[in-house]
Amino acid sequence: MKLYRFNQVLIGFLLVGGLSGCAVQKQNSATKNKQEILEVMRRTNKYFMDKWPDAGKPIYTNRWRPSNIWTRGVYYEGLMALYKIDKNQVYYDYAVEWGDKHKWGLRNGIETRNADDHDCGQTYLDLYEIDPKPERIKDIKASIDLIIASGKYDDWTWIDAIQMAMPIFAKLGVMTKDAKYHEYMYKMYNHSKRAEGGGLYNQKDKLWWRDKDFVPPYKEPNGEDCYWSRGNGWVVAALARVLDIIPQNEKHRAEYLQDFKELMEGVAAVQRPDGFWNVSLHDPNHFGGKETTGTSLFVYGMAWGINKGILDAKTYRPMIDKAWNAMVKEAVHPSGFLGYVQGTGKEPKDGQPVTFSSMPDFEDYGLGCFLLAGSEVYKLK
């Protein structure tokens, strides 16, 4: 029996029978000290804001891109999470400046169906809730309304899209008190889960294939299925954020909750001994090594789940402690730069090499993931 299979059996046992309290008692003090958690979040964020003082400046890698693309949108998701626990006006102003400089618009206009274009809308909606100026939600709502009016719901063909757009549908449904947003959100999610490529969720392993190109017969070099760490992290984040938004009586909530719990079990079974997760969850030797973005998203989900009373603290808290402490000690530079961040892509070989000092093509989303994690770790008791 392969190691990850053994771990899955072990995690299943722990989730049913519980874990002795001794592991929890050995928590490293680094995850108990809220001030230390806040300090590292402030330091990593300051590094980024100092490097990008103009929130509207386009991003150049191999070509120029506007800064309301998904990578920057994920950063602002993290910044807004930081702002909720650390009410620094500078954070709020930086987010508003970003929206203002893009006229609260989407990269490809309101007719876009691309979830990557929609991600910025998560922050636009958050900022609207703080200060309900109509221009802040005008374009994102118009774009989602056009998608619903089209009757087409097979757009989320890759699992990253679930995180980029699903929470927007959830929030619009609550803000407008119109169930059509939640119903359509489920249609799109269900297509990704059960129809796209034959279904991108594998309940046997409790993990998601990134897109139809990775559904079997595709295999990793060791003969196992390819489960990309960050891709599964996106689904973790999406489910956590959606469950945080929708009401308790939303008709599909139970399924989202079950999917979240199962996914956390699948993730927990393959944590590295050092606390990180590999980019390839079932093939630790395929571009194996520490990776911060997937690790951050898994920590975010686990900590959120404990904070909401959904996940068992005795089982998941030791995993969080190990992962958070490993990232703080081994990935965060004194300057605030984050190491071990895999660049953009869709599978283990992309965005390599991933090292302590490697510079990803985009720095923003890695920090966003880290801030999301820190914001929930900070709330742990």
Side-chain angles (χ1 to χ4, degrees), residues 39-50:
E39 184 280 327
V40 75
M41 294 175 73
R42 287 170 173 169
R43 176 157 42 103
T44 52
N45 185 64
K46 184 178 186 301
Y47 167 85
F48 183 80
M49 287 182 66
D50 286 349

Side-chain angles (χ1 to χ4, degrees), residues 14-172:
L14 294 177
L15 288 166
V16 173
L19 188 69
S20 77
C22 62
V24 178
Q25 292 171 5
K26 293 180 181 178
Q27 292 164 5
N28 188 302
S29 61
T31 55
K32 290 183 178 180
N33 190 324
K34 291 181 180 296
Q35 193 57 40
E36 289 182 7
I37 296 168
L38 202 54
E39 184 280 327
V40 75
M41 294 175 73
R42 287 170 173 169
R43 176 157 42 103
T44 52
N45 185 64
K46 184 178 186 301
Y47 167 85
F48 183 80
M49 287 182 66
D50 286 349
K51 187 169 181 178
W52 293 87
D54 179 356
K57 182 180 178 180
I59 304 167
Y60 184 79
T61 53
N62 58 331
R63 60 184 174 87
W64 288 101
R65 295 175 175 87
S67 68
N68 58 349
I69 59 173
W70 73 266
T71 66
R72 193 59 52 89
V74 171
Y75 161 71
Y76 281 101
E77 290 177 50
L79 181 66
M80 295 305 293
L82 173 57
Y83 179 66
K84 287 178 181 178
I85 62 171
D86 187 22
K87 295 291 187 181
N88 187 332
Q89 185 68 27
V90 171
Y91 304 155
Y92 175 78
D93 291 345
Y94 192 57
V96 170
E97 179 192 350
W98 180 63
D100 280 338
K101 291 200 170 181
H102 292 290
K103 296 181 172 34
W104 304 94
L106 315 180
R107 176 179 57 166
N108 290 306
I110 65 171
E111 294 184 356
T112 183
R113 302 186 66 94
N114 189 331
D116 287 349
D117 293 340
H118 289 137
D119 185 74
C120 60
Q122 295 197 46
T123 298
Y124 295 170
L125 291 170
D126 283 348
L127 292 169
Y128 176 84
E129 287 182 315
I130 297 170
D131 185 1
K133 295 181 178 179
E135 65 269 22
R136 295 184 176 184
I137 65 167
K138 179 175 177 289
D139 281 10
I140 186 59
K141 183 178 181 299
S143 187
I144 300 304
D145 286 346
L146 284 173
I147 287 176
I148 294 174
S150 75
K152 183 176 180 291
Y153 52 84
D154 58 355
D155 295 290
W156 298 346
T157 59
W158 73 112
I159 58 176
D160 313 31
I162 297 172
Q163 195 285 144
M164 303 303 158
M166 192 172 174
I168 295 169
F169 284 79
K171 184 156 283 191
L172 283 171

Side-chain angles (χ1 to χ4, degrees), residues 190-205:
N190 189 57
H191 174 85
S192 301
K193 179 182 174 182
R194 293 190 171 93
E196 182 65 27
L200 298 180
Y201 178 56
N202 183 3
Q203 192 168 27
K204 178 172 67 72
D205 288 335

Side-chain angles (χ1 to χ4, degrees), residues 170-185:
K171 184 156 283 191
L172 283 171
V174 171
M175 290 171 65
T176 64
K177 297 182 174 58
D178 190 336
K180 73 178 183 182
Y181 294 101
H182 293 165
E183 283 303 303
Y184 215 82
M185 172 179 78

Side-chain angles (χ1 to χ4, degrees), residues 1-2 4-12 15 193 198-209 214-216 218-219 223-227 232 258-259 261-270 282:
M1 182 181 290
K2 298 196 175 182
Y4 75 83
R5 295 292 186 195
F6 172 78
N7 284 343
Q8 283 185 315
V9 174
L10 177 61
I11 291 299
L15 288 166
K193 179 182 174 182
L200 298 180
Y201 178 56
N202 183 3
Q203 192 168 27
K204 178 172 67 72
D205 288 335
K206 300 178 180 179
L207 293 168
W208 292 67
W209 293 294
F214 298 95
V215 174
Y218 185 93
K219 296 292 182 184
E224 299 298 334
D225 285 3
C226 179
Y227 299 113
N232 278 272
Q258 184 63 29
D259 289 353
K261 290 178 177 179
E262 289 183 6
L263 178 52
M264 297 321 301
E265 290 180 36
V267 164
V270 289
H282 278 193

